[in-house]
Amino acid sequence: MVESVSIAPGDHKAYMQLALSYASKSPPKPTNFCVGALLVDASTNTILANGYSEELPGNTHAEQCCFIKIAQQHNVPEDKLEDVLPSNTVLYTTMEPCGKRSVGNLPCVERILQLGKGIKTVYVGINEPEKFVGKNVGRAKLEAAGIKVVAVEGMETEILEVSQAGHTS
Ligand code: HJL
Ligand code: ZN
């Protein structure tokens, strides 16, 4: 557990608000979005990892930071996380996971898919604006693989504002 918070079980909006607070720690940059993410054990209401864009070295995404951190905690490679994640692990991310990345980086959707049954539900704050990669096919890919993607509604304006920190247009 990385942090104790008093969020009621199933209070998706409160988890998304917490994810947004991490997003706002991302360094503003005109060429990406500032995103925050949390991995939560929904059975015990425990936060397993948190992350934000560029938190860890190497042009990292928020979701990727969560996976790297928890892999380090358990001393397993990221693609073996399925074995250590609690059976009811869910991901909260302020922006839908990416389906496409700049050269040399595995998209977060592929990182989620390689977890097999590791993550069953992904809660998203907003869809990715069509600014850098056109339409993000991430959500459709997750759904096609049987992963539930749930929009947590009502925070879109705040999330968009934080996401676009450092953008000039
Ligand atoms: C998500 C993040 C993040 C993005 N999306 N879900 N989490 N930064 O932490 C999506 C955006 C890409 C740009 C640049 N941003 O990041 O499409 O250099 O950041 O691979 O397309 O691509 P790279
Ligand atoms: Zn990503």
Side-chain angles (χ1 to χ4, degrees):
M1 186 161 101
V2 292
E3 186 185 17
S4 56
V5 286
S6 49
I7 292 179
D11 188 349
H12 306 306
K13 225 169 153 180
Y15 276 117
M16 195 56 73
Q17 196 75 50
L18 184 62
L20 182 58
S21 75
Y22 286 107
S24 61
K25 295 178 185 224
S26 309
K29 197 173 161 185
T31 53
N32 76 356
F33 292 110
C34 294
V35 177
L38 298 172
L39 270 179
V40 174
D41 178 351
S43 292
T44 59
N45 208 32
T46 305
I47 296 172
L48 304 169
N50 55 43
Y52 56 88
S53 313
E54 304 219 338
E55 179 185 16
L56 297 176
N59 190 20
T60 46
H61 278 191
E63 303 90 326
Q64 179 184 5
C65 289
C66 289
F67 298 140
I68 293 173
K69 286 183 184 178
I70 195 150
Q72 282 172 350
Q73 259 174 45
H74 290 275
N75 203 21
V76 295
E78 196 191 321
D79 62 2
K80 292 283 179 294
L81 269 180
E82 182 182 9
D83 304 338
V84 298
L85 287 175
S87 62
N88 202 9
T89 301
V90 301
L91 174 70
Y92 289 85
T93 178
T94 55
M95 183 178 288
E96 64 177 318
C98 67
K100 198 172 175 184
R101 287 211 57 181
S102 52
V103 185
N105 285 303
L106 190 65
C108 293
V109 161
E110 307 299 337
R111 292 173 195 271
I112 294 168
L113 295 181
Q114 77 184 359
L115 299 181
K117 292 188 179 10
I119 293 178
K120 297 194 181 67
T121 307
V122 178
Y123 294 95
V124 304
I126 57 170
N127 291 333
E128 179 171 347
E130 291 188 28
K131 192 163 187 176
F132 300 124
V133 292
K135 183 157 174 49
N136 183 349
V137 295
R139 179 175 184 150
K141 248 183 160 170
L142 291 175
E143 286 171 340
I147 294 172
K148 235 166 104 181
V149 181
V150 179
V152 178
E153 292 174 347
M155 296 168 55
E156 293 84 353
T157 310
E158 297 160 78
I159 292 176
L160 197 60
E161 195 180 316
V162 171
S163 303
Q164 300 185 116
H167 292 198
T168 46
S169 60

